[in-house]
Amino acid sequence: MLVYIKENFDDMSKAGARIVADLVRKKPNCVLGFATGGTPLGMYKELIRLHKNEGLDFSKVTTFNLDEYVGLPPEHDQSYHYFMWENLFKHINVDRRFVHIPMGMAQDIDRFCEWYEAQIEKAGGIDLQILGIGANGHIAFNEPGSSLGSRTRIKTLTGTTREANARFFKNPDEVPKYAITMGVGTIMDAKELLLLASGEGKADAIAATCEGPITAKWPATIVQMHRYAFVIVDKAAASKLTMKYTD
Ligand code: PGA
């Protein structure tokens, strides 16, 4: 695990974008795993800048998103479909046919999840999976207690996650109760991981992830078992780390 501590959110975002851009340049038809949430937004802005100013070419890239709320149609402004198109995809030259985001409106969710796993496999696996982290140590919607070997499936969101995400909805009751999410095992199958975290609210989760014992209580701790994992955090998110790391 390579842990980098950056001065602030902007530096974290740029460092993350550099890793993604290097891969896209080296392997134009790579498979990228994308995440939603506030954390990757700065990195997505930087990727858009690299596309517009430096011609970073996403036309052959295949994408898979980590998760989606159950019951929200793609055009809902809080769906992760909407998030990805608004904040990244519509600003770069990604090919719509190569974009995969779980379908929150799937009729048969179990079958959809099997199909999603099969699509990842068919694409040759995910080369680089971008991850945020919940204050409770979740990755994607794999909440504490999730099997560390889990695959794509439906999960019930915890009260704390629903509260954390209520800020985006007009009414807290509108926050969906379920999500489709890649499993911890699905995430761990990616060839490389890039976990980003910013702010003091993530400090406990980052301390557990980098220095704690591996436990389903903090699902992100499994990242310690990955052979090629980058963890890039800002100083506030790093504030509870005790070992020495690079900056
Ligand atoms: P955030 O969410 O980036 O909005 O903090 C991350 C997560 O919950 O995984």
Side-chain angles (χ1 to χ4, degrees), residues 35-228:
T36 52
T39 310
L41 276 178
M43 180 173 77
Y44 293 164
K45 279 208 176 93
E46 176 63 8
L47 289 175
I48 294 165
R49 193 192 68 75
L50 289 171
H51 168 67
K52 296 212 152 105
N53 298 355
E54 296 180 22
L56 187 64
D57 180 14
F58 291 89
S59 63
K60 297 190 181 70
V61 170
T62 296
T63 77
F64 286 93
N65 260 78
L66 286 170
D67 46 15
E68 177 59 288
Y69 290 119
V70 167
L72 295 194
E75 60 280 6
H76 190 288
D77 66 3
Q78 291 310 322
S79 75
Y80 289 167
H81 277 78
Y82 189 89
F83 178 100
M84 287 311 298
W85 283 99
E86 279 307 301
N87 293 301
L88 182 64
F89 294 156
K90 79 174 187 192
H91 307 285
I92 60 175
N93 63 337
V94 74
D95 186 330
R96 187 174 278 273
R97 292 171 305 164
F98 302 158
V99 169
H100 304 83
I101 305 174
M103 286 298 304
M105 299 298 281
Q107 293 279 317
D108 184 336
I109 291 180
D110 290 345
R111 245 182 86 193
F112 175 83
C113 294
E114 273 174 37
W115 178 85
Y116 202 69
E117 287 274 336
Q119 292 306 111
I120 295 174
E121 211 177 301
K122 212 170 123 194
I126 293 170
D127 289 302
L128 176 67
Q129 177 64 57
I130 294 153
L131 295 169
I133 183 170
N136 64 2
H138 72 204
I139 42 175
F141 275 128
N142 296 288
E143 300 284 22
S146 293
S147 157
L148 298 180
S150 51
R151 311 304 304 187
T152 304
R153 69 214 182 292
I154 185 168
K155 284 292 287 180
T156 307
L157 307 185
T158 61
T160 52
T161 296
R162 291 187 70 230
E163 273 165 36
N165 292 2
R167 66 191 194 273
F168 302 115
F169 289 80
K170 281 177 212 93
N171 174 343
D173 295 338
E174 282 176 34
V175 185
K177 294 189 175 60
Y178 305 99
I180 293 173
T181 180
M182 274 188 207
V184 180
T186 321
I187 292 168
M188 287 294 286
D189 281 350
K191 291 167 196 127
E192 287 184 309
L193 301 179
L194 169 56
L195 189 151
L196 303 177
S198 164
E200 226 180 301
K202 303 290 172 70
D204 285 324
I206 286 299
T209 300
C210 301
E211 299 179 353
I214 296 170
T215 166
K217 207 170 160 190
W218 296 93
T221 56
I222 194 66
V223 169
Q224 291 173 29
M225 292 293 288
H226 201 286
R227 293 175 63 203
Y228 302 103

